[in-house]
Amino acid sequence: MKKVIIPTILIIVCILVYSFFINPYQFKINEYTIYSSKITENFDGFKITHFSDVLLGSTTTMKEFEKIIEEIKETNPDIIIFTGDLFHQNYEVSRDEKRKIKDLLLSLNCNLYKYAIIGDNDKENLNLYKEIMSDANFQILDNTSTYLFYKDIDPILITGITDSENLQSAYKGEEGITPTLRITLTHYPDYFDSINPADADLIFAGHSLGGQIRLPFFGGTIKKEGAKTYIDTFYEIEDSKMYVSNGLGTEKYPVRTMNTPSINIYRLVKGQK
């Protein structure tokens, strides 16, 4: 009996140590190449860096956040997108921390612009979130759209979705301007079912945290509102492709199992794979 019990206990202890003290503090860079005939020559090779769900105050400490910022800087993107949840729920931010967070986010450089949307935890202190992101030169898309022009007159339409009501008004662009590609930023991947594929060639989302605890054959096991259906990294329905970030922090439980926090890089390539 001891021959069975002792190894079993050791395995359980190892899994717990890994899940609480190792896996949440690792992060990796995921790189994806996105092919599309809608990508024009001037956007061929365009680079997007995507981070999400920092959740400062969870397993993401200020020290970890500094490491994350340095890693994002190394990616040298054309644009940076943040798909929500800067702070963990009810995290109290001191004046010094607020200044430090602003400075770190402001230090993120890219060739063009930085975009952000609002996550569920950001709504807990929306004014603080908007202040920090705006002062760090992020353009907040709150059920609104903007055109991204680059080298020529054929823009990309970027839409940020905060909630699934009045989606059509969020996608409304200017008359006379036809985007070559349509990108949607949403915190909640389950909005995939509400978005008209004609409105979104690419969707970038967060929130799911990959299910936090991932098990062989079961995948992510912790599902929450807004990420009950779509919790994995990639989905495709009709002509819409959605990439879901694993995020960087943790929520509810300070644990990750077989689920490394990540920063995503997307390279747009003209044509078919």
Side-chain angles (χ1 to χ4, degrees):
M1 182 65 74
K2 286 184 179 181
K3 290 181 179 181
V4 175
I5 293 176
I6 293 175
T8 301
I9 292 173
L10 287 174
I11 290 171
I12 293 172
V13 169
C14 288
I15 291 173
L16 290 174
V17 169
Y18 169 76
S19 299
F20 279 89
F21 302 106
I22 298 176
N23 200 200
Y25 300 97
Q26 301 170 318
F27 61 88
K28 63 181 179 179
I29 305 293
N30 294 325
E31 298 192 33
Y32 303 91
T33 301
I34 301 175
Y35 295 88
S36 174
S37 58
K38 295 183 178 181
I39 295 168
T40 62
E41 185 175 337
N42 288 312
F43 279 103
D44 189 22
F46 197 79
K47 192 176 185 181
I48 302 170
T49 294
H50 173 202
F51 71 113
S52 190
D53 299 271
V54 173
L55 293 166
L56 274 163
S58 63
T59 48
T60 307
T61 62
M62 284 300 298
K63 185 176 180 180
E64 291 295 315
F65 189 44
E66 290 176 15
K67 294 179 184 177
I68 290 164
I69 293 295
E70 289 304 313
E71 286 292 330
I72 295 174
K73 287 180 182 179
E74 292 294 320
T75 65
N76 297 315
D78 291 300
I79 64 171
I80 295 173
I81 58 176
F82 176 64
T83 50
D85 276 5
L86 181 61
F87 299 110
H88 192 268
Q89 190 176 27
N90 300 323
Y91 178 59
E92 295 293 333
V93 185
S94 69
R95 183 178 299 178
D96 288 342
E97 283 177 322
K98 183 171 77 170
R99 183 165 52 249
K100 179 68 173 178
I101 293 164
K102 281 185 184 180
D103 289 343
L104 287 169
L105 290 169
L106 184 61
S107 73
L108 290 176
N109 292 319
C110 57
N111 292 332
L112 295 171
Y113 309 108
K114 300 186 289 188
Y115 302 100
I117 57 172
I118 299 167
D120 54 316
N121 287 328
D122 302 321
K123 294 177 182 178
E124 297 296 322
N125 198 337
L126 189 55
N127 290 334
L128 174 64
Y129 175 72
K130 286 184 174 181
E131 176 190 342
I132 288 174
M133 300 308 287
S134 296
D135 287 352
N137 289 338
F138 277 80
Q139 181 178 347
I140 299 173
L141 299 176
D142 183 5
N143 269 26
T144 55
S145 296
T146 187
Y147 289 103
L148 172 61
F149 288 90
Y150 184 60
K151 295 183 179 179
D152 63 13
I153 61 173
D154 297 317
I156 289 175
L157 182 69
I158 301 181
T159 303
I161 301 299
T162 304
D163 58 66
S164 58
E165 297 180 5
N166 301 316
L167 283 179
Q168 284 307 115
S169 64
Y171 283 103
K172 188 176 181 181
E174 295 182 28
E175 291 186 10
I177 300 178
T178 303
T180 180
L181 192 73
R182 297 172 181 268
I183 292 176
T184 292
L185 312 181
T186 177
H187 186 63
Y188 310 99
D190 283 359
Y191 282 1
F192 198 16
D193 290 333
S194 301
I195 296 170
N196 186 338
D199 289 328
D201 301 300
L202 298 174
I203 300 171
F204 300 123
H207 188 57
S208 76
L209 303 182
Q212 277 196 232
I213 297 173
R214 299 187 65 85
L215 301 175
F217 308 111
F218 291 95
T221 60
I222 298 179
K223 299 180 180 182
K224 51 187 177 176
E225 197 65 37
K228 290 185 179 295
T229 303
Y230 302 104
I231 64 172
D232 294 328
T233 55
F234 176 76
Y235 297 91
E236 185 171 8
I237 296 179
E238 296 184 24
D239 293 327
S240 289
K241 298 177 181 178
M242 180 169 68
Y243 294 83
V244 183
S245 168
N246 277 349
L248 292 158
T250 55
E251 197 169 20
K252 291 187 179 179
Y253 313 104
V255 58
R256 279 181 181 258
T257 304
M258 301 177 67
N259 180 15
T260 304
S262 66
I263 297 164
N264 290 350
I265 299 173
Y266 312 106
R267 181 78 71 173
L268 304 186
V269 175
K270 177 179 172 61
Q272 300 297 324
K273 185 175 181 180

